[in-house]
Amino acid sequence: MLDYGERGGDADHHVEWNQHSSLGAGGRIAVLITFLVLGAAVLLPFNTLITPTEYYRSILSSSHAATNFMSWVLLVFNAGTIIFGAHAVVSLHKTTPAQRIYFASTSIFLGLLLYTFFTTRSSAEADGKIQDLYFALLILVTFSVAASTAYLQNAVVSLCSIFGGRAMGVMLTGQGVIGVAISFVQLVAAYGNSRLPPKGTHGGVPPATPPPPGSMQPGGEEAASRAATIFFASSTFFVALSIAAFIWLARSKVYRDTCRGYEVATQSSGVREASLEPMTQVKPAFLSSFVEKLPPAARANAHQILDVQSKVLVRATCILVNFAITLSVFPALTARVRSTAPRDQQWATPLVFIALHFLILNSADLLGRMAPMVRGCLIRSEKLTVLGTALRIVFIPLFFACNIHLDGPGPKGALPDWAFFTILFFFGLSNGLVATSIFIVGPASSKLTSDSERAMAGAVLSFWLTLGLAVGSIGSFAITAMI
């Protein structure tokens, strides 16, 4: 039984698109598949950038960023999404979801295409200065892709807030699907391109002189580069597919009829002024005081943003904390975990083991995102949402108890591989369940009385999500410093 948390009151409007006369059974499925693809496209850039940790490690081995490159990638990406995500929220009324989706997805396509080109060039043998330059280019493109992702996420979440809980649930499931798909492609590529450590004279025992801590085995740089090229190219192709899918949806009659009342591109001054009066009591007071100093044109929009935020503040805070916990350890810490099994087993080599850990976490996250579809699994209560978010902190010390040492089997008492994967599974499951419940229940709140407010609620929650990612990426520096 499905439970998408459709809102009360005028809930019929939310399912109206599903009952549209122009849609048959095939058309309804096609619309849902399009939202699935759009959700995948939103999370695709982030997953693509953080997955090839061994590739980054190989091309930046002599760079000043060799020890904390992933924390820098996370920080720059999330800083970009915050900066441009904030602008996306305040300028939501100046454009349409379609315009933003077209522009942002095209920019992401070009950015990932450039990444694909990067992976065909190796800097593993270059000196530190060349690798520092390579790292600077990596960060520059990361920031550009992050900006485009911020606008794409804002537009897609706002659009789903108008279409309703079913569209939102499917879109969020799509995000989980792309995480699993990318991880699977990476695992296959890593397994096919990995090489076992050179065998010594004692049946699989590594040679007497091991490679430096954290370095790759001979030939590992080339294998990591080939694996990265495969999934970067696959990601670029998928973005092109998502653009084509949205073109179909945007040209459909059901899209035009469902979005007709939204009118985000142009709102009459009469409507803006009429909506201003009930928003003047927005808390906290110092923000309202600041807003009153803005020009009249910006004041009404700022009041609406603050008013909507006050209605979803608890869940917005939870979405921030949820992703801050996740990003503080994944992948900056979890990608440092090494198998406790002998390295002469191919699945236990760092390249394959790390790819496997991405697949397990993203698969669990997908299950968590799908769980609210089952009646009784959607977290509607604010108190339960707060509790579920806070309990996720326990995962941090559990990951520290795993084998996080890059050079060797790790200390005695380190948790075995099965324990690491079990912790990772529940870590991903809880992340997906909490996040999806917030995004479904939040915009469906009875406190929100119009499509404009529901779209704004989705955009506000989306922005707080990016704040959580940024807080987590900053926290990852502190987490890895504790190793």
Side-chain angles (χ1 to χ4, degrees):
M1 300 179 69
L2 302 183
D3 185 5
Y4 284 96
E6 301 290 3
R7 72 178 186 269
D10 58 341
D12 289 342
H13 175 77
H14 248 290
V15 297
E16 191 173 283
W17 73 267
N18 199 39
Q19 302 170 349
H20 200 280
S21 59
S22 66
L23 287 178
R28 286 188 288 272
I29 294 175
V31 171
L32 291 176
I33 290 177
T34 300
F35 280 114
L36 188 80
V37 171
L38 287 176
V42 168
L43 204 60
L44 176 71
F46 179 73
N47 273 276
T48 301
L49 296 183
I50 68 172
T51 299
T53 55
E54 289 304 289
Y55 168 70
Y56 294 145
R57 200 183 309 280
S58 70
I59 66 172
L60 301 174
S61 58
S62 300
S63 169
H64 289 93
T67 58
N68 57 4
F69 61 89
M70 185 51 64
S71 292
W72 278 110
V73 170
L74 290 172
L75 178 61
V76 170
F77 185 90
N78 292 307
T81 55
I82 285 178
I83 294 171
F84 292 96
H87 179 263
V89 172
V90 300
S91 61
L92 184 64
H93 65 288
K94 296 181 179 180
T95 185
T96 65
Q99 291 174 334
R100 279 196 167 163
I101 290 173
Y102 285 137
F103 174 79
S105 56
T106 300
S107 299
I108 291 172
F109 172 82
L110 296 175
L112 293 182
L113 190 63
L114 187 57
Y115 265 113
T116 305
F117 174 76
F118 276 176
T119 61
T120 64
R121 304 279 179 166
S122 174
S123 68
E125 303 300 326
D127 60 30
K129 292 183 178 179
I130 297 299
Q131 290 193 8
D132 284 341
L133 177 60
Y134 205 87
F135 175 71
L137 292 174
L138 174 71
I139 291 300
L140 181 62
V141 178
T142 297
F143 188 76
S144 174
V145 172
S148 301
T149 302
Y151 289 110
L152 180 63
Q153 178 173 283
N154 173 275
V156 171
V157 172
S158 298
L159 182 64
C160 290
S161 298
I162 299 171
F163 270 76
R166 186 178 299 275
M168 184 71 78
V170 171
M171 185 274 292
L172 293 170
T173 298
Q175 293 186 359
V177 169
I178 199 61
V180 173
I182 288 180
S183 300
F184 181 76
V185 170
Q186 173 68 357
L187 177 60
V188 172
Y191 193 86
N193 289 291
S194 65
R195 298 182 180 181
L196 293 174
K199 295 185 178 181
T201 58
H202 300 287
V205 179
T209 304
S215 63
M216 304 186 73
Q217 296 292 339
E221 296 87 354
E222 182 181 352
S225 180
R226 287 198 303 266
T229 301
I230 291 173
F231 84 85
F232 271 122
S234 301
S235 300
T236 304
F237 172 78
F238 187 86
V239 173
L241 179 65
S242 70
I243 295 174
F246 182 70
I247 290 176
W248 171 82
L249 177 63
R251 291 180 177 179
S252 67
K253 192 174 188 303
V254 64
Y255 180 92
R256 294 193 302 270
D257 290 347
T258 302
C259 296
R260 181 179 300 163
Y262 182 34
E263 299 177 347
V264 343
T266 56
Q267 295 188 14
S268 67
S269 58
V271 173
R272 303 290 288 178
E273 293 302 323
S275 62
L276 178 59
E277 183 176 355
M279 298 179 187
T280 55
Q281 302 300 319
V282 174
K283 304 295 182 182
F286 76 92
L287 284 178
S288 294
S289 176
F290 171 77
V291 168
E292 291 302 327
K293 299 177 182 180
L294 296 175
R299 191 186 311 155
N301 185 53
H303 271 297
Q304 184 186 36
I305 294 173
L306 291 177
D307 183 60
V308 169
Q309 178 173 287
S310 69
K311 296 176 181 178
V312 295
L313 184 59
V314 173
R315 288 187 169 87
T317 304
C318 287
I319 202 72
L320 183 152
V321 175
N322 182 64
F323 280 95
I325 293 172
T326 299
L327 264 291
S328 66
V329 294
F330 174 79
L333 177 63
T334 60
R336 294 178 64 93
V337 176
R338 295 295 184 263
S339 174
T340 56
R343 295 291 178 86
D344 60 353
Q345 301 182 52
Q346 191 170 12
W347 70 270
T349 59
L351 187 62
V352 177
F353 189 78
I354 292 174
L356 181 61
H357 120 280
F358 272 97
L359 179 61
I360 291 175
L361 184 135
N362 285 314
S363 297
D365 179 67
L366 173 59
L367 291 177
R369 291 168 185 265
M370 295 176 64
M373 300 180 189
V374 180
R375 189 172 298 280
C377 292
L378 180 67
I379 305 176
R380 296 180 180 273
S381 167
E382 284 189 349
K383 291 182 179 180
L384 287 179
T385 301
V386 172
L387 178 62
T389 302
L391 287 176
R392 300 192 71 239
I393 297 176
V394 73
F395 287 108
I396 297 178
L398 289 176
F399 282 125
F400 270 105
C402 298
N403 180 24
I404 57 177
H405 293 260
L406 296 178
D407 53 335
K412 293 183 178 180
L415 295 178
D417 294 344
W418 68 265
F420 168 61
F421 288 141
T422 300
I423 296 168
L424 200 66
F425 177 85
F426 286 103
F427 184 65
L429 184 72
S430 60
N431 180 79
L433 176 60
V434 170
T436 303
S437 296
I438 290 173
F439 271 101
I440 290 179
V441 176
S445 172
S446 59
K447 298 177 183 178
L448 305 171
T449 58
S450 67
D451 276 345
S452 179
E453 285 197 345
R454 279 179 280 274
M456 182 62 70
V460 166
L461 289 172
S462 177
F463 177 69
W464 280 67
L465 184 154
T466 62
L467 284 177
L469 295 176
V471 171
S473 63
I474 294 173
S476 69
F477 284 92
I479 292 293
T480 53
M482 296 168 61
I483 298 175

